[in-house]
Structures are given as C-alpha cells and as structure tokens.
Amino acid sequence: MTADPIALARSLPAAPLDARSRYLRRLTVDALIGGERGHIGSTMSLIEILRVLYDSVLNYRADEPDWAERDRCVLSKGHGCLALYALLADKGFFDPAALTDFCRHHSFLGGHPERGKIPGVEASTGALGHGLSLGVGMALAQRMRGRSARVFVVMGDGEINEGSVWEAAMNAAKHRLDNLVAIVDYNKIQSAGATAVIQDLEPLGDKWRAFGFETQEVDGHDITALEQVFSAAPSADGKPTAVICHTVKGKGIPFAEHDPSWHHKSKLPVDVHADLYAALEDN
Amino acid sequence: MRRTCLNMVYELAQRDDRVVFIGSDLSPGLLSDMQTQFPDRYFMEGIAEAHTIGMAAGLAMDGYIPYVNTIATFITRRCYEQVAVDLCMHDLPVRLIANGGGYVYAPLGPTHQATEDIAIMRALPNMAVVCPADADEMTRFMNASLDWPHPIYIRMAKGGDPIVTAGQTGFEIGKGVLLRDAAGSDSVLLVSTGVTTTRCLAAAEALAARGLAVRVLHLPTVKPLDQDMLTDLAAEAQLLVTVEEHSLIGGLGSAVSDCLIDRLEGRLPKIRKLGIPDIFAKAYGGQDDLMHDVGIQAPHIVEMVEQTLGLN
C-alpha cells in the first residue's frame, strides 16, 4: 500500500519556532491581512531559509542595495515574496510600515517581487524556473570580475518541475560555479497537492548529485543547521552546491500546516485574522 | 550578413570589455578568434534556449552586454517567457541575434521559419526590433547597438543579399531611411523592412518606368517605429504598400497601419499590405520560391500598385 504523502510529511521532524521566527511570521501576516491575500503556505515554509541567509550568511548593505561586492540572493519562487519582504523590511531595506500596503494599487510590494521597484530584490520572479539561470549568469559575472561574492537561488519544490531548472543545473556544473548555491524549499506540497502525487521529485538528492552539485539535506526550520550548511558554501572546489531544505508548508500556523488549501488565499476571511496572530503569539 | 554581424560582435568585444558572446550549439569554430582572445567572454552553450536567455540576463544585470545567437524560431518561440520576463521586464541590454528571419530556412520546413517573430517580439515592452536590409547596414547597426540600453531583437537575412543601402551613413535606432525619393504629391509609397526592401526598390524602378512617382521607405527598426517620417511621407501619398517577409498578423504592415490610423485620421492614403498569409509554408525549395508563393517579390508589388491604381 502506498503511504499517504502528506501524512508522511507530517511525520517528519521539524524544529520548533523561536521568538524571532514568530516575529517575522507576524510581519508576513500584517501584509497578508493588509493585502487580503497571499501565498501563506509557501511563505511560512520559507521564513527560516531567508532568515538565516539575511541574519548570518549574506554580505550586503541595506543602505546600498546595489553594492557591487554583495552576495546575491534570488527568490526564484517569487510567490513566497512575503517572506522576502518581511526580511528586507526587518533589515532596513525599506520601512516595515509599507508591508500593510501589500498588493494595494499604489504599493511597491506586489504579489511577486520586482527588481527596480523594491530595494534589495535582485530579480523579478513569479514565473517559475527562471531564477537558477539568472543565478548562473550572476555567478559567472562575479567570477569574471574577480569577486568573491556568492549567489544563492531559492526555489520551490513545485518549481523544479520546470525543465529550465535542469538546463540551468547542467550548465552550472559545466561552468564549475562553486560560488552558486541552489536551495530547494522542499515542503512536499505544490498547488494541486502533494509533490509525490503531482510530480514526484524523488530521489531528489540523487538528482542534484547526478547533475554535478555538492548536495546537502537539512531541516529547513533548524536555524543552527541552516547556518552551518549555508555558511559552508562554497563547500566543494569547482562544484556548485545544492541544499535541500525539508520544510513544512504553512509552518507555524497549525491549521494551515501541510494543507494544500492554504497554498494561496485570495480572500482572507476576517475571522481568521485573530487566529493567525494567536498561532504566532509569544508564549 | 550573419558573418558580418558576428564579426562585429568580435570587433565590439575588442573595443569594449562589457561585450560577451553566447551561442547556443552553433557551428564548430564559430568566432574562434574571439574565443582565443577573450575566452572569458565567449560562451558556446548547449541546446537550452530558456536557460541561455536567463544566463544572459544574469550577466547583463552585472553590467555585461551579451550578444546571444541562435536560430530565430528557437530564440523567440522556445523561450518567449524568458525573453519577456528576464530581458524585457528587467529592461536589460541583451541582444538576440536571430539566424534565418522569414523564409531563409525554406528547405528545412516551418519549424525553422521565423514568420511571426517580428509580431511577438515587438509586442514586448522595452524590446527593439531591427531588420537590416544588407550587410552594410548590419555593420552600421551593430556599431549603434553597443550603447542602446534596452534589449534588441536582430533579424538576420540569408547572407549574400544585395547591398542596397550603400551611400547611407550611420544608423539610428528608431529612424527610417528614404532609399528612393520622388516628387511628393500623389506619390506611391512602398514601405519595407529587411530584405523585402530590395524587392521594393526593384518594383519602384519598374513603376517609375511607367511614369509613377514612387518612394521607398526602409524601416530597419520596426520598433521603435519612425512614426514622424512615416506620417510625413504617407500624408503625401495616394497609395501606401507595406511589404514584409512576415505574417500579415502583427508585423510591419500592422505597425504602419496602427500608426497611420492614429495620426492621419481622415487623410489616409489607400493602404495595401503584402506579407505572409496565416499559414505555415506548404512547400520547400529556396527563400525566393516561398516568397514567390506568398506574393512578396517585386512583380507582385508592381501588380498590387497597378491593380490598386487601375493601371492594368
């Protein structure tokens, strides 16, 4: 008998959230409620990945977003933008007060991130399967310019159904881009249901290894483990790195966790607002 | 024209260290001199157009000017979303060198015939669409391409095309070229881009021999369109005929008539459009054969003018 893939995902261990993780989630809920919409599940699985990158891995200057020597972080799964907006606001790229204008007519914070509109956003994404190719170009450019800057590309698990991701992966290995890190937010659920049912990705680690990547797997909510893996990149001479982050869709909102119906909400019922904040209260 | 274009990439690379060449599985030895001299700025990648466009965008985000080359249908149809999002949304100075515009690859069938490329490229914000008529014009255009701060689609002809722009100097993206002038009032204005300009010039000779005042306006950049020059010349014409080696849907004829409907309301000349009907080619042979089949050779232009003016 085939195991229920979502039950299997529920059974995987995931680190508990600390106060900072709950705070960042509350910022995303401010935006969700302000815009009355958003990819909730896809945002919540991603918070710790971006938190660790921006808190302790990436070199950047919030007051000089175009600083040439910066590490680049491309959120290829652009629908997870609320997590990115929360981090960029928290880090001072822009005023956190802007979050509540999310998706409003005059806001600069749209439902997918846009380069040039939002300080700190490296690439306009939302159409899936673009980020790793952009990352290959960026990583080549850093090497050609003799910089030590690294490029991190964060992808969704559903996103890597796209063939262009694997075109880019082959090419990254060809160019021996050890300054490129491909991160997969593997929450096991895509829009239509479990990845294991819609388009099984397994054996996922073997796939990245076969494409020439130094590949690590990690609990995508474990701050210490993420810090260790991301900081180690580049981890192998002449090889790009892949980090498969095992995460929980909707992490931190118990009634949304592992539930495909929370992938995206376009009309957030008012009576849910308090429940969202309640789930993220500090104990 | 293709050799001229690629040689110009090498020349530009010697002049400017921002210039990068990216090919997608092209001929062995292509631009080998550039590869030898600038190995860091020469990339021959695999058959992965979607990725290649994204990679070019990533390089351009860091200040490089990538010239990307492969077959026209592959660099437009295959990776349209990458062109739209990665290049045009980001408004990056990437140049798409598209081999085989129109019916150049006649013997290879419709998979290789770029007959709607102008339409889909010009529909994208920020994208310029350039169709030089000959190798001389390609050289002048390539010089002008270096500092254009937006993406450009470059439609290549077959190669060995007659030089019809000799005597022209410089190239300004967005400017038309009046290749044949005549007395203004009640003139016939033939408007063309790419190699159909050669056919227009031949047709103009034949029509002039019958006493008609015929002007030929060559629009090497279909976008941005030289709306001022087009409007001024159209205002003096009794008949305007657009000629293109492209679908009648969305190409030069559409761009010209859209412009004139806006600008010459009530004063429009008669307008006729010659181009490729809404079909994939049914035959093989050569480029000229297919152009003959759809009626875009010089005799067809002459016939259209004479018929419309009631001269035959």
Side-chain angles (χ1 to χ4, degrees):
Chain A
M1 199 177 79
T2 310
D4 174 357
I6 294 180
L8 189 65
R10 282 183 195 282
S11 70
L12 294 174
L17 301 181
D18 63 12
R20 176 155 173 74
S21 281
R22 287 193 296 274
Y23 161 72
L24 291 168
R25 280 177 173 73
R26 288 198 298 274
L27 287 182
T28 69
V29 171
D30 292 345
L32 274 166
I33 291 172
E36 298 177 77
R37 63 183 305 123
H39 284 87
I40 304 181
S42 325
T43 289
M44 298 302 174
S45 63
L46 180 62
I47 302 265
E48 282 65 44
I49 294 170
L50 292 182
R51 166 187 164 179
V52 168
L53 287 173
Y54 281 89
D55 275 2
S56 46
V57 177
L58 299 173
N59 291 312
Y60 59 90
R61 294 174 179 170
D63 58 353
E64 192 186 348
D66 297 331
W67 177 46
E69 304 290 330
R70 72 192 183 281
D71 292 325
R72 275 73 172 163
C73 176
V74 175
L75 182 63
S76 191
K77 53 167 283 187
H79 57 290
C81 61
L82 285 170
L84 180 61
Y85 297 166
L87 261 304
L88 293 177
D90 180 66
K91 292 297 179 186
F93 283 88
F94 57 83
D95 184 351
L99 289 170
T100 54
D101 286 338
F102 175 62
C103 280
R104 295 291 175 189
H105 190 203
H106 300 294
S107 176
F108 62 93
L109 300 174
H112 294 95
E114 289 188 58
R115 175 186 168 99
K117 276 191 184 171
I118 309 170
V121 167
E122 295 285 354
S124 302
T125 54
L128 297 172
H130 291 233
L132 194 58
S133 296
L134 296 172
V136 166
M138 291 176 182
L140 282 167
Q142 303 321 305
R143 186 164 71 192
M144 289 157 74
R145 295 194 187 283
R147 297 186 193 128
S148 58
R150 298 162 296 171
V151 180
F152 296 79
V153 178
V154 184
M155 293 171 283
D157 47 12
E159 175 178 11
I160 65 174
N161 295 172
E162 292 281 6
S164 55
V165 171
W166 302 99
E167 292 180 7
M170 271 197 287
N171 196 240
K174 167 194 158 178
H175 288 296
R176 303 172 57 81
L177 291 174
D178 52 18
N179 56 349
L180 178 68
V181 182
I183 298 169
V184 181
D185 175 6
Y186 194 12
N187 60 35
K188 322 290 188 296
I189 295 173
Q190 55 192 111
S191 184
T195 56
V197 174
I198 306 302
Q199 176 55 67
D200 196 5
L201 301 170
E202 292 297 339
L204 188 54
D206 288 345
K207 284 191 172 74
W208 286 99
R209 275 185 282 274
F211 274 73
F213 281 63
E214 181 70 18
T215 303
Q216 312 274 350
E217 303 203 32
V218 66
D219 176 344
H221 301 293
D222 183 331
I223 303 301
T224 311
L226 286 168
E227 273 173 359
Q228 208 168 17
V229 173
F230 292 159
S231 301
S235 52
D237 235 16
K239 285 176 82 174
T241 299
V243 183
I244 298 167
C245 299
H246 293 278
T247 58
V248 173
K249 190 117 178 176
K251 173 75 174 175
I253 313 288
F255 49 89
E257 287 186 359
H258 303 292
D259 183 348
S261 73
W262 282 89
H263 172 79
H264 178 258
K265 291 287 184 192
S266 56
K267 285 191 173 61
L268 205 58
V270 174
D271 56 3
V272 175
H273 295 181
D275 296 339
L276 288 170
Y277 283 120
L280 298 168
E281 264 175 20
D282 288 328
N283 301 319
Chain B
M1 183 186 287
R2 181 182 173 211
R3 196 181 318 130
T4 302
C5 180
L6 296 182
N7 287 343
M8 280 302 297
V9 174
Y10 178 35
E11 192 179 315
L12 294 174
Q14 290 170 300
R15 223 188 287 167
D16 192 315
D17 61 12
R18 297 173 299 168
V19 172
V20 167
F21 175 76
I22 308 175
S24 173
D25 201 32
L26 301 170
S27 316
L30 188 89
L31 280 181
S32 54
D33 289 348
M34 177 170 174
Q35 184 177 20
T36 305
Q37 193 175 346
F38 306 115
D40 287 353
R41 291 191 280 138
Y42 175 96
F43 299 93
M44 186 54 70
E45 302 303 349
I47 307 163
E49 295 81 5
H51 164 66
T52 303
I53 296 298
M55 169 182 153
L59 285 161
M61 285 172 173
D62 220 294
Y64 288 101
I65 305 174
Y67 287 75
V68 185
N69 181 211
T70 188
I71 290 173
T73 50
F74 307 156
I75 212 169
T76 55
R77 295 174 180 168
R78 180 65 169 217
C79 49
Y80 193 62
E81 188 180 82
Q82 277 74 17
V83 173
V85 175
D86 299 350
L87 304 189
C88 293
M89 260 184 83
H90 291 124
D91 197 7
L92 294 169
V94 174
R95 287 76 179 91
L96 305 178
I97 302 173
N99 295 349
Y103 282 146
V104 167
Y105 291 124
L108 302 185
T111 56
H112 284 56
Q113 293 161 6
T115 51
E116 77 296 312
D117 54 334
I118 294 174
I120 62 176
M121 288 295 115
R122 85 180 181 94
L124 295 172
N126 299 322
M127 179 65 86
V129 176
V130 182
C131 316
D134 58 35
D136 281 14
E137 187 168 55
M138 176 62 83
T139 301
R140 294 193 302 276
F141 156 68
M142 287 295 283
N143 279 314
S145 73
L146 187 62
D147 289 317
W148 184 256
H150 314 286
I152 310 175
Y153 176 73
I154 307 164
R155 192 189 216 218
M156 304 270 267
K158 188 176 182 179
D161 308 274
I163 304 297
V164 295
T165 67
Q168 301 294 320
T169 53
F171 189 103
E172 197 173 337
I173 292 171
K175 289 292 176 199
V177 184
L178 187 61
L179 281 180
R180 188 181 201 286
D181 204 357
S185 61
D186 279 348
S187 59
V188 172
L189 179 62
L190 305 180
V191 183
S192 172
T193 190
V195 296
T196 43
T197 294
T198 312
R199 279 75 180 172
C200 287
L201 288 166
E205 287 299 316
L207 290 164
R210 295 203 54 177
L212 290 174
V214 186
R215 287 168 157 172
V216 176
L217 173 59
H218 172 54
L219 295 172
T221 61
V222 180
K223 184 187 175 188
L225 193 71
D226 191 343
Q227 299 195 56
D228 291 342
M229 191 173 197
L230 173 64
T231 307
D232 290 347
L233 292 169
E236 294 183 339
Q238 59 166 323
L239 169 64
L240 183 157
V241 182
T242 61
V243 188
E244 61 193 308
E245 188 188 4
H246 183 274
S247 170
L248 285 165
I249 299 174
L252 175 77
S254 299
V256 166
S257 48
D258 286 352
C259 165
L260 295 178
I261 285 168
D262 286 345
R263 293 192 165 205
L264 284 182
E265 195 182 354
R267 296 181 293 132
L268 283 171
K270 285 183 183 166
I271 296 178
R272 297 290 183 270
K273 298 176 190 171
L274 292 176
I276 300 173
D278 190 18
I279 52 164
F280 290 107
K282 294 181 179 2
Y284 301 101
Q287 181 184 22
D288 275 325
D289 297 323
L290 294 187
M291 289 176 75
H292 178 83
D293 289 351
V294 298
I296 52 174
Q297 297 283 27
H300 302 109
I301 302 167
V302 171
E303 189 185 338
M304 170 63 83
V305 171
E306 290 180 340
Q307 204 172 53
T308 308
L309 298 181
L311 300 177
N312 54 358

